[in-house]
Amino acid sequence: MKNYDIKKVEKKWQDFWYSNSSFTAVDFSEKTKYYALIEFPYPSGTGMHVGHIKAFTSLDVVARKKRMEGYNVLFPIGFDAFGLPTENYAIKTGIHPREVTNRNIKIFTNQLKRAGFSFDFSRVVDTTQADYYKWTQWIFLKLFEKGLAYKAHSYVNYCPSCQVVLANEDSQGGQCDRCGSEVIQKEKDVWFLKITAYSESLLEGLEHVDYLPRIKMEQINWIGKSEGVEVKFKIKENNEDLLIFTTRADTLFGVTFMVIAPEHPLIERLKDKIENYSELQEYRNLAAHKTEFERLQMNKGKTGVRIIGLNAINPVNGKVIPIFVADYVMLAYGTGAIMAVPAHDSRDFSFAKEHDCPIIEVIKGGDINKEAYTDIEEGILCNSDFLNGLGVKEAQVKITEYLVSRGIGEKMINYKMKDWAFNRQRYWGEPIPIIKCPHCGYVADNNLPLKLPEMEHFQPGTDGESPLASLKDWVRVKCPICNQMAERETDTMPQWAGSSWYFLRYCDPHNNKELASYDKMKYWLPVDWYNGGMEHVTRHMIYSRFWNQFLYDEGIVPVKEPYARRTAVGLILGEDGEKMSKSRGNIVDPIDIINEYGADTLRTYILFLGEYEQPSPWSEAGIKGCKRFLDRIYRFLEKVDFQAKSYSKELEGPINKTIKDVGSDIENVKFNTAISKLMTLSNEYAKYPKLSKKDLETFIALLNPFAPHLCEEINEQLGNNYSMVNTKWPNYDESKTIDNTVIIAVQVNGKLRGTFPIAKDSDKKALEEKALELESIKQHITGKTIRKIIVVPNKIVNIVVN
RNA sequence: GCGGAUAUGGCGGAAUGGCAGACGCGCUAGACUUAGGAUCUAGUGUCUCACGACGUAAGGGUUCAAGUCCCUUUAUCCGCACCA
């Protein structure tokens, strides 16, 4: 039996492709462009994992198919190589991060090639190379210049263990993303990027792109737009305004107390008037140091302390109400202060219960003795003066008009998304090119790239200082404006920086005059299909959309939205159905699989194993099925009749159908069914003792995106001296995808009782007559009255009897 | 708590409202073999000797016809999480 040496064959074709630059994208080609993008990997020391293979293979299939369809395909690869693991490894081993990164990139490059990915390796970018991060710094300075990068004294999430300031996104649930320890709030000077200036634009842009609905939803939630009213309450004791934000102005008559955040500046400002200031201080301290555990405990009840000596006045009815400090109100959202309506807000309700505040019902419909009534669809206003009898929506309109016309309220839109904390106290990142001058303030250092200085030890300084702070000679620098002694910013950028614009660099990766030429970007952008993990669909995507939109506004980039289409890969679980992890010991190393079964089998299996976007468990047994399938295709070579020029007659229908289905399945991210249809067709082929050369050529054309090495090999053995890379994707004849004979199902009262074959498009009458003649049908209708017969041409006849 | 998804054989999973279980794995029997973790052939949802009946998380509904549409419930997963 004929078989082939997988290792030899795969090596042979990889050498062929990569030495002939088979996948090089051509700038400004006459062909229609197609830009397929995968999230570039972080080159970790452990090499690729199966998740990479799945994400990369799927778009490799798309890229290979598009090339066969005549597109000029850009399918680039690069490395997002700044980052903590490399730095930590450097600290531990003393090996320079540069060296570690170079080594890991080499490993990755090798592995990528062993999987046979059709990346354009002439366009590789590495975010840690000065000729790349020069432009990352340049974009930062652009933002700085436009006032979109600013330094502010602020409360930040700080991990005492890593001694690093964390972005909100890195400290979700109050835990450090890296080490899991408790994050505390710390006052610090922090660089921010003003992404909030783009909140609306980032939301609006989602209307013009084709992302998975789930992805859009998550981005919308992340931005978290809510429309409401900012209302001025007066503080009784000194007549100053206390601003609150509410989306429920209709409940204004139900306000029984106010709550401000523990960090609210009011407390410091009016501390002379506050009688229990020390008690408040104590509470504020406690709040700042709450652990995650305590937080969860306190979620049941709401803690807080009343400010004695200060009261507020409700602007609509003049009532005097107490003010509390409580940590269920966040300084960062809205105004950091709320009006509390316990009858109609569940948090205010539980706080009121805890602290014996009155609860006044202003919307009828619920039972406020039991719980807050928050329905906004059905309730009717009561106890609310001129709002009585109105529905919630109407009341909102009316009260808003009232507040605005009297100057005590203003329509306001709030967003959950906050400005992006942009500095890290780490070595292995892009230095922030800013000089702090005692006379001129923060000044841009336009002498780019500002290279990472050499150093030997990479430990962060104490108290959240960057390792770079210890390089006194590097830090001390003359101010570019006044020429006096000044100091460099010693923090570096977060890892999100380099990945926020890499897709632009791919258009023109060797340009040393601009981040990329406008014309080349104009040719390639937008990315036609971007694919990657679900874990990056908020942070990375929103950050990079922000940068792109900013650069678009600056006239540097030609498109407003960088990604026309975005899909996400489902996780591959271990054989035990659990997430792959070292501790579970259920990790599958893709290189082991390539060694044992070959890259083609791995590629085919990884797309066959389940619905693309769903998580699916790995199965060692399953992979053998794909190996068998590919082996069988190779053995078809033995049956080829080189005399026969066209398709074997019997196979015309199945072949045309398969061409149609495989093509549309790939476009629709249904790789598993695309492969199953190829398997079905191969089962058809297996029935016949001879195949024409064309039969097999068409088959390998369809299979080529999935198993390119095997298909090149078969193609060569068929005597063809061209590469599959440039083969045409087969066309199909629509008329031949439809069978001339169809099988009609016959039901009696909706239950299947028989079938019969008949010529396609036979008329209803013929179907009906034929159905009634069937023996199996007669059994079920004799002695009964036929009430109705439903006939669906080419499909079904349903006879209704009783 | 809010938002989103998912639920189909022993397993992974297919099914524009029209023959549920494609395709693959596994399993059973047979063929070829010194051998089989190779290959080929046939079979494989459940109950029943069979005719047949029952089957897509549970319950209801719409329809000639429901895995698919509508309502209720349950379970699992993901995201956000005191967002005013």
Side-chain angles (χ1 to χ4, degrees):
Chain A
M1 186 180 308
K2 210 169 161 184
N3 235 323
Y4 68 106
D5 183 335
I6 294 166
K7 276 192 186 164
K8 240 163 93 183
V9 166
E10 293 193 344
K11 178 84 173 47
K12 169 176 155 193
W13 290 106
Q14 285 158 14
D15 288 347
F16 174 84
W17 296 325
Y18 301 127
S19 64
N20 285 301
S21 304
S22 300
F23 311 120
T24 303
V26 185
D27 295 324
F28 309 119
S29 149
E30 296 283 297
K31 295 177 180 177
T32 312
K33 69 95 184 179
Y34 194 89
Y35 188 171
L37 180 70
I38 46 92
E39 282 170 353
F40 63 163
Y42 174 73
S44 75
T46 50
M48 285 203 288
H49 54 74
V50 285
H52 288 124
I53 303 279
K54 186 172 175 185
F56 299 175
T57 303
S58 49
L59 274 208
D60 191 47
V61 167
V62 172
R64 284 178 180 272
K65 171 171 175 268
K66 289 285 174 190
R67 280 189 203 99
M68 293 169 76
E69 288 176 320
Y71 288 87
N72 177 31
V73 173
L74 173 56
F75 187 42
I77 182 74
F79 299 96
D80 187 15
F82 276 132
L84 260 190
T86 304
E87 179 162 337
N88 288 339
Y89 183 80
I91 291 171
K92 219 164 76 187
T93 61
I95 305 172
H96 196 284
R98 172 78 271 151
E99 210 178 301
V100 179
T101 300
N102 288 347
R103 192 177 70 199
N104 290 348
I105 285 179
K106 216 173 200 171
I107 293 171
F108 259 74
T109 304
N110 257 321
Q111 295 188 345
L112 291 166
K113 289 181 174 174
R114 284 209 59 196
F117 293 133
S118 63
F119 290 125
D120 180 349
F121 283 98
S122 71
R123 290 179 189 248
V124 170
V125 304
D126 167 359
T127 55
T128 65
Q129 296 293 347
D131 62 359
Y132 181 89
Y133 70 67
K134 171 182 178 178
W135 300 107
T136 313
Q137 293 171 328
W138 184 84
I139 296 168
F140 176 85
L141 289 184
K142 263 278 179 231
L143 288 157
F144 177 69
E145 197 180 292
K146 297 287 163 180
L148 293 170
Y150 63 96
K151 199 160 194 183
H153 197 61
S154 167
Y155 284 91
V156 295
N157 303 302
Y158 179 75
C159 171
S161 164
C162 300
Q163 301 193 319
V164 170
V165 175
L166 299 166
N168 287 329
E169 308 85 66
D170 293 326
S171 57
Q172 291 180 30
Q175 284 186 329
C176 174
D177 237 19
R178 299 134 204 271
C179 70
S181 50
E182 163 209 344
V183 170
I184 62 165
Q185 297 297 302
K186 188 182 166 84
E187 269 190 301
K188 213 175 160 35
D189 270 347
V190 174
W191 280 104
F192 285 102
L193 295 191
K194 203 166 183 177
I195 191 170
T196 52
Y198 280 78
S199 303
E200 202 53 47
S201 179
L202 289 167
L203 267 182
E204 194 271 341
L206 289 175
E207 288 165 28
H208 313 290
V209 291
D210 173 21
Y211 296 175
L212 209 64
R214 231 174 107 206
I215 297 175
K216 275 194 193 183
M217 196 61 68
E218 286 195 14
Q219 294 198 15
I220 289 168
N221 288 342
W222 186 268
I223 296 167
K225 178 178 184 172
S226 75
E227 297 180 54
V229 188
E230 219 169 71
V231 185
K232 287 180 194 165
F233 281 63
K234 282 264 183 271
I235 290 176
K236 184 177 160 234
E237 284 71 14
N238 70 350
N239 210 34
E240 80 169 69
D241 289 331
L242 176 55
L243 267 183
I244 61 97
F245 173 74
T246 181
T247 55
R248 296 295 308 274
D250 53 296
T251 62
L252 206 44
F253 287 91
V255 176
T256 58
F257 57 100
M258 314 283 291
V259 185
I260 65 173
E263 306 88 358
H264 199 286
L266 179 97
I267 301 169
E268 284 308 309
R269 204 170 58 242
L270 300 182
K271 73 197 232 189
D272 296 342
K273 292 197 163 51
I274 298 172
E275 293 165 26
N276 59 338
Y277 180 75
S278 62
E279 191 191 352
L280 288 182
Q281 268 308 81
E282 204 175 302
Y283 178 76
R284 295 165 76 194
N285 246 322
L286 210 74
H289 288 96
K290 263 187 194 174
T291 65
E292 178 69 359
F293 174 74
E294 283 168 333
R295 261 237 207 103
L296 287 172
Q297 292 288 304
M298 290 177 185
N299 221 351
K300 290 171 193 153
K302 301 249 178 296
T303 62
V305 176
R306 180 169 173 185
I307 304 177
I308 300 175
L310 293 182
N311 292 283
I313 299 169
N314 187 335
V316 291
N317 57 14
K319 273 193 188 166
V320 175
I321 49 176
I323 306 174
F324 288 84
V325 172
D327 67 357
Y328 82 92
V329 173
M330 247 51 56
L331 182 69
Y333 186 76
T335 61
I338 62 157
M339 63 177 211
V341 186
H344 307 291
D345 181 288
S346 52
R347 295 152 301 174
D348 297 345
F349 183 86
S350 62
F351 188 88
K353 283 283 175 200
E354 204 103 345
H355 297 85
D356 286 326
C357 302
I359 299 172
I360 299 173
E361 180 176 55
V362 289
I363 298 166
K364 278 186 281 195
D367 179 1
I368 62 150
N369 291 315
K370 286 199 192 117
E371 57 178 2
Y373 178 65
T374 57
D375 194 304
I376 56 164
E377 300 297 331
E378 291 183 356
I380 299 293
L381 274 283
C382 63
N383 296 326
S384 296
D385 199 347
F386 59 92
L387 298 177
N388 286 339
L390 296 176
V392 169
K393 300 259 165 79
E394 303 158 280
Q396 281 178 349
V397 173
K398 195 159 181 184
I399 188 79
T400 305
E401 276 171 18
Y402 175 90
L403 294 169
V404 170
S405 68
R406 261 152 245 253
I408 43 179
E410 228 180 299
K411 280 193 183 179
M412 190 63 65
I413 296 171
N414 260 304
Y415 301 90
K416 279 194 228 176
M417 186 168 68
K418 294 166 201 155
D419 279 342
W420 174 10
F422 197 68
N423 46 335
R424 300 296 125 96
Q425 292 68 37
R426 286 286 172 172
Y427 176 74
W428 197 229
E430 302 88 345
I432 294 177
I434 293 285
I435 292 163
K436 188 182 179 182
C437 171
H439 307 281
C440 312
Y442 295 110
V443 177
D445 179 0
N446 286 303
N447 191 15
L448 301 180
L450 171 57
K451 288 197 181 175
L452 252 180
E454 283 309 319
M455 61 188 303
E456 303 213 343
H457 305 288
F458 312 103
Q459 281 90 350
T462 50
D463 200 29
E465 279 219 315
S466 162
L468 295 179
S470 67
L471 299 174
K472 300 294 177 212
D473 292 347
W474 182 79
V475 173
R476 287 167 53 80
V477 67
K478 280 185 180 162
C479 170
I481 296 175
C482 68
N483 216 26
Q484 304 211 36
M485 281 318 290
E487 290 193 345
R488 288 192 183 285
E489 172 63 60
T490 57
D491 287 357
T492 54
M493 299 185 194
Q495 204 187 344
W496 307 108
S499 58
S500 290
W501 72 282
Y502 72 112
F503 55 93
L504 302 174
R505 188 66 177 172
Y506 283 144
C507 297
D508 192 9
H510 308 295
N511 193 327
N512 53 17
K513 302 235 155 45
E514 314 159 273
L515 62 85
S517 103
Y518 190 87
D519 287 343
K520 287 184 184 176
M521 287 192 279
K522 180 114 191 152
Y523 177 77
W524 286 115
L525 293 174
V527 172
D528 293 281
W529 188 341
Y530 189 19
N531 185 50
M534 201 59 207
E535 68 274 21
H536 290 134
V537 300
T538 46
R539 315 174 202 188
H540 159 64
M541 283 196 76
I542 289 183
Y543 292 156
S544 59
R545 288 180 57 225
F546 162 46
W547 277 32
N548 188 85
Q549 289 196 358
F550 166 71
L551 293 170
Y552 172 74
D553 289 346
E554 292 300 303
I556 294 160
V557 167
V559 296
K560 185 179 172 196
E561 281 297 334
Y563 317 121
R565 180 182 190 193
R566 165 76 191 206
T567 51
V569 226
L571 220 55
I572 297 176
L573 307 171
E575 198 131 19
D576 53 4
E578 300 287 334
K579 209 169 160 175
M580 282 193 190
S581 72
K582 264 189 211 154
S583 57
R584 286 207 183 79
N586 59 354
I587 291 180
V588 175
D589 184 341
I591 298 304
D592 292 345
I593 303 297
I594 289 177
N595 285 335
E596 188 166 355
Y597 300 97
D600 285 335
T601 301
L602 175 62
R603 294 164 57 107
T604 308
Y605 175 65
I606 218 154
L607 294 182
F608 179 66
L609 96 175
E611 204 199 316
Y612 187 71
E613 279 149 6
Q614 295 304 123
S616 25
W618 182 265
S619 155
E620 186 77 28
I623 200 165
K624 289 181 184 157
C626 288
K627 174 90 166 66
R628 272 178 220 159
F629 163 61
L630 296 180
D631 286 347
R632 197 156 51 229
I633 306 308
Y634 185 75
R635 287 199 301 273
F636 283 157
L637 274 170
E638 296 166 19
K639 316 206 288 190
V640 173
D641 173 2
F642 284 88
Q643 308 311 311
K645 284 278 173 287
S646 63
Y647 287 129
S648 304
K649 242 207 162 60
E650 307 81 358
L651 290 171
E652 268 197 336
I655 286 173
N656 278 283
K657 259 187 263 184
T658 307
I659 296 171
K660 183 180 179 181
D661 290 350
V662 170
S664 63
D665 280 355
I666 291 174
E667 291 298 326
N668 295 321
V669 208
K670 299 178 89 171
F671 301 105
N672 56 338
T673 53
I675 293 166
S676 81
K677 278 158 194 166
L678 287 169
M679 288 171 168
T680 306
L681 183 62
S682 85
N683 291 341
E684 278 307 305
Y685 276 31
K687 287 181 191 164
Y688 301 99
K690 285 283 168 207
L691 294 170
S692 75
K693 188 173 174 228
K694 193 167 178 197
D695 292 333
L696 192 51
E697 280 172 349
T698 300
F699 196 97
I700 60 171
L702 296 175
L703 181 63
N704 183 58
F706 299 94
H709 309 84
L710 171 68
C711 293
E712 291 277 14
E713 183 66 19
I714 292 175
N715 189 52
E716 188 182 63
Q717 292 195 29
L718 281 171
N720 297 327
N721 59 358
Y722 51 83
S723 161
M724 293 300 293
V725 174
N726 307 311
T727 310
K728 286 270 162 294
W729 183 257
N731 293 317
Y732 62 91
D733 180 343
E734 181 71 45
S735 70
K736 286 185 178 148
T737 64
I738 300 154
D739 295 325
N740 292 323
T741 309
V742 291
I743 307 286
I744 303 296
V746 186
Q747 298 179 334
V748 177
N749 287 347
K751 285 193 175 143
L752 182 73
R753 296 300 180 186
T755 58
F756 64 88
I758 196 164
K760 181 170 75 78
D761 294 334
S762 300
D763 65 15
K764 287 191 175 192
K765 194 146 197 182
L767 291 178
E768 192 176 316
E769 279 167 11
K770 195 97 188 242
L772 291 169
E773 279 168 18
L774 286 181
E775 276 309 312
S776 57
I777 297 307
K778 281 183 184 165
Q779 279 177 33
H780 287 93
I781 57 176
T782 40
K784 293 175 180 167
T785 319
I786 295 176
R787 291 285 165 208
K788 202 173 178 183
I789 298 179
I790 290 108
V791 181
V792 182
N794 297 327
K795 289 241 163 98
I796 204 161
V797 177
N798 190 7
I799 303 161
V800 185
V801 299
N802 65 359

